[in-house]
Each structure stands twice: as C-alpha cells, then as structure tokens.
Amino acid sequence: MPLALYDTADGVVRDVDTRGDEVGLYVCGITPYDSTHLGHAATYLTFDLVYRQLLANGHKVHYVQNITDVDDPLFERAERDGVDWRELGTSQIDLFRSDMEILSVIPPRDYIGAMEAVGEVVEMVQVLLDKGIAYPLVDASGACDIYAPISATEQFGYESNLDRATMEKYFAERGGDPDREGKRDPLDALLWRGHRDGEPAWDAPFGSGRPGWHIECSAIATNRLGQTFSIQGGGSDLAFPHHEFSAAHAEAAYDVERMAGHYVHTGMIALDGVKMSKSLGNLVFVHKLTEQGHEAGVIRLAVFSGHYRNDRDFSYGILDEAEARLARWRESLAGEVSEEEAVGVVDKLRAALANDLDTVTALQAVDDAAGDHDGIIARALDGLLGVQLR
C-alpha cells in the first residue's frame, strides 16, 4: 500500500516518491530552550507514523533531524536563568530525546546540531557568494552579515503558496528582520550573522559569526540526503518562512528546481480551545503527562484521534477517551477470531494510514474489531501505530 501524503506545495495528496536505494526524510527539530510540549510531540509522532509506514512497505529510510542549538531564544533563556547556554541546550536535548523514547518514537538515523554543522553552512554560504547570489551587509558595529535575496530562485514562493502580504506578516512574526536597513528586499533572509559582542562565533572566509536559521537545515539535509530528497516535514508554522527559504537556499546553491518531493506540515495543537503558548502558560508537557501515569500508547492515541493536518484541540477529556479506547482494545482483542478476520482489520488499518495518515479511520477499524488471531492485530498496532497492547 504506497504511502500518499498531502504536499503543501502542490496542494494535493499523492504518493511519496520512494525510488532509489533509500527514502530521504528530513524533519525540522527543536530549539532546545524548553521542555517538549504536546504540540512538539504531535509533530514528531506524525513523522514517526510516516517512518513506520515506509518501513512497513519495505523501504530503507534515511531519517534526519536537526537541533537548532545556536539561536537567540536559547541565549535569551540561558541569560534569564543565569546558566550557560550550552548547558541549557544539552539538558533540553537530553529531555527531548528521553520524551521521544518514552513515546516509542523511532529515532532518526542522524540527529545533527547546528554547532556540529557550522562547517557545512559555511561551505554553502560560500557557494552562494561565489555565484553572486548572496550579498554582504555591514551594520554600524562593523559586523558583516550575509543575506540571500528572494530573487535567488525563480520559483521562490512555490512551497508555501502565500501572497506577498502574508509572507511579510509571517516573516516579521517568525524570526525575520524586515526592517533591517540596507537589505535589497525586506524579505531577504539571513544566511550568516556576523559576530557581535557576547555572542558565540565561528571562523569563516567572509567573517566570523554564526549560521542563520534557514540555511542550517538546507546544509544539514542536503549533505546527508542529497540535493533532492523525498520529504521535508514540520509544523504548519514552518511552511513560511523556514521551509520556503531552506528550500530556496539549497535550490539556488545546487541549481535544482525542487529540494523535496513532498513538503508535509502538521496542524497546531490547542489546549481546551486556546492555542498552546509559553506566554499564556498553557503548555502540556510530555514528561508531566508521563509522570502523571499516562502511558505512551494513550498519549499517542489522544494525538491520533484527530487528523495530523488539522489544527485541533487537546484536553484531558480527550486523554481520558484515549485511556478508555486502549482499555477497550485490550479487552475486545483478547478474544480469538479467524486469521482472515484479523488480517482484514490490519488491511483496513494499513489502507487508512496509507491515505494521508488517516488515523481517525485507522482507529475506527480497530474499534470495530471483535478479537485477534495469534496477535496479528497487536503486532500491527505496535509496528504501524507504536501502540502496545501488552
């Protein structure tokens, strides 16, 4: 059952390109300045499903995830808390990976931090400079920043399909600097931030400094998966500017039309109808849920009770429903049915997941099951959904 996913760029559900020796999957990782909340977890659980479906279809998968361990939010939180930013980053990376292990998320082959990839970023920035695409911009302190113009590729904007006004709005809200004096276009993206006092810096031929956010992912992804690969994924808030620019930087550097065959985005998670945010203090942390005794399978079922592309609500009522569902499955599937009936349930489960990860229909197929045969359904639930009955 070939996996079909919705592609943000083309606006259609279509089969993932699985040609070649391996399927390349790149998912944008965390900026490690706070604990993993359920919104983060929902994204990584979604791509864990993608990973599992590809593996179930017999494909080799090269899964890569970055960690933005050099970024302003990390520095600001460390300064606020009076700790070293490297120590804060390491502690939050360890907590994130522990949360993912508890949730039975299959780890990527490569976890790559920005610090680890600085040399790769420098090389890509130099390519763009040598091509006459990137341009330097010196501020009043003498720091030399490097920018990429939106005109670097003719196809800029294809990934998010946003109009100019919406791009400007999101760029300002999501880490951009539209008011920086001297830029050729307010939307031009930072490739390299020149060294300022008090900030970490690495040597580069064009001046010491640190990587920009978008090119970090361009370099990490393409150096491991190739100039083009199958899937780039993340939350819907990353479609612009982050995914648009990370694709544009790679496409300009390598003269390719499209970095990823699919751009896949997950919806946002709200708590009791209100979007989760640090400012509102309404984040639900994964480690808190597990400390309260909620097992991984219940958290997964709570997330999978809605479709991954939809902005959706989380509540403790939904978690209670997931608890009850798992308990019903354990009771109903304890009975014995024929092998044909059990295989039929698994076929329905797989067909639903192959159709753009339709977890709502997939869970219903198991709800309707009247028993199992030699653990066929139980093994499928473990392998395909990461939910253990025993």
Side-chain angles (χ1 to χ4, degrees):
M1 296 182 183
L3 176 61
L5 294 173
Y6 182 84
D7 172 42
T8 302
D10 292 342
V12 296
V13 175
R14 53 180 171 76
D15 289 353
V16 171
D17 186 353
T18 56
R19 294 172 295 179
D21 294 334
E22 294 183 319
V23 179
L25 170 62
Y26 184 86
V27 178
C28 293
I30 60 168
T31 300
Y33 64 97
D34 208 345
S35 303
T36 312
H37 63 71
L38 200 66
H40 295 142
T43 292
Y44 300 114
L45 286 172
T46 294
F47 290 100
D48 184 57
L49 286 186
V50 171
Y51 196 2
R52 288 169 181 271
Q53 309 324 301
L54 292 168
L55 292 175
N57 282 337
H59 301 297
K60 292 183 179 179
V61 182
H62 191 169
Y63 183 8
V64 180
Q65 198 177 114
N66 76 306
I67 300 170
T68 304
D69 55 2
V70 180
D71 202 17
D72 291 334
L74 175 60
F75 305 150
E76 292 163 4
R77 180 62 57 87
E79 183 176 3
R80 187 202 72 178
D81 295 347
V83 299
D84 183 86
W85 62 272
R86 297 173 185 83
E87 292 179 4
L88 175 61
T90 298
S91 69
Q92 294 306 309
I93 292 168
D94 290 345
L95 180 56
F96 168 74
R97 297 179 77 165
S98 173
D99 285 342
M100 293 299 100
E101 183 178 356
I102 289 170
L103 290 178
S104 299
V105 171
I106 302 173
R109 183 188 304 179
D110 296 312
Y111 272 122
I112 307 296
M115 284 192 286
E116 185 179 348
V118 168
E120 300 170 35
V121 172
V122 169
E123 290 178 3
M124 184 174 277
V125 173
Q126 190 63 60
V127 168
L128 293 171
L129 284 168
D130 292 343
K131 287 188 169 187
I133 294 170
Y135 64 92
L137 187 57
V138 180
D139 78 348
S141 71
C144 182
D145 301 324
I146 309 295
Y147 281 87
I150 61 170
S151 59
T153 59
E154 294 182 358
Q155 66 270 31
F156 182 84
Y158 79 92
E159 182 272 333
S160 61
N161 293 300
L162 299 177
D163 59 37
R164 173 78 189 204
T166 305
M167 286 184 180
E168 291 177 348
K169 176 177 181 291
Y170 287 164
F171 190 76
E173 294 174 352
R174 299 172 179 175
D177 56 352
D179 298 325
R180 171 72 188 271
E181 292 185 5
K183 288 171 62 174
R184 297 175 184 173
D185 189 292
L187 291 180
D188 289 353
L190 181 69
L191 296 171
W192 184 260
R193 178 175 168 82
H195 184 224
R196 271 81 166 173
D197 289 341
E199 295 183 2
W202 288 262
D203 292 335
F206 35 82
S208 65
R210 57 185 170 94
W213 178 29
H214 313 307
I215 198 166
E216 169 195 330
C217 284
S218 306
I220 291 173
T222 57
N223 278 321
R224 285 153 189 83
L225 302 177
Q227 297 175 4
T228 61
F229 52 90
S230 293
I231 302 170
Q232 182 181 37
S236 60
D237 56 343
L238 296 182
F240 190 91
H242 185 51
H243 286 174
E244 192 74 68
F245 277 107
S246 59
H249 297 339
E251 290 155 5
Y254 299 127
D255 296 318
V256 295
E257 291 187 4
R258 183 165 170 144
M259 182 180 73
H262 266 78
Y263 297 94
V264 181
H265 298 101
T266 62
M268 298 290 101
I269 304 293
L271 176 64
D272 294 322
V274 180
K275 181 181 177 181
M276 288 188 190
S277 71
K278 292 180 178 64
S279 61
L280 294 175
N282 66 341
L283 299 179
V284 176
F285 294 107
V286 169
H287 71 277
K288 294 294 185 182
L289 291 177
T290 57
E291 287 171 4
Q292 293 164 7
H294 301 291
E295 61 181 288
V298 169
I299 298 171
R300 292 178 76 103
L301 288 177
V303 171
F304 299 157
S305 65
H307 194 270
Y308 80 92
R309 280 198 284 120
N310 295 335
D311 292 341
R312 56 203 191 277
D313 196 39
F314 174 83
S315 68
Y316 282 90
I318 292 174
L319 197 65
D320 290 340
E321 291 171 3
E323 295 265 15
R325 172 174 252 153
L326 186 55
R328 287 196 308 272
W329 286 4
R330 284 171 171 160
E331 182 177 353
S332 64
L333 295 178
E336 184 74 10
V337 295
S338 69
E339 181 177 1
E340 182 180 6
E341 289 175 290
V343 170
V345 172
V346 174
D347 285 345
K348 290 178 182 178
L349 174 65
R350 293 202 64 195
L353 294 173
N355 181 24
D356 196 29
L357 303 181
D358 183 0
T359 53
V360 177
T361 300
L363 300 191
Q364 186 62 53
V366 184
D367 286 343
D368 295 339
D372 201 351
H373 180 87
D374 291 338
I376 290 173
I377 298 174
R379 290 193 295 275
L381 290 174
D382 187 7
L384 296 171
L385 286 177
V387 174
Q388 297 181 357
L389 292 186
R390 300 180 177 86

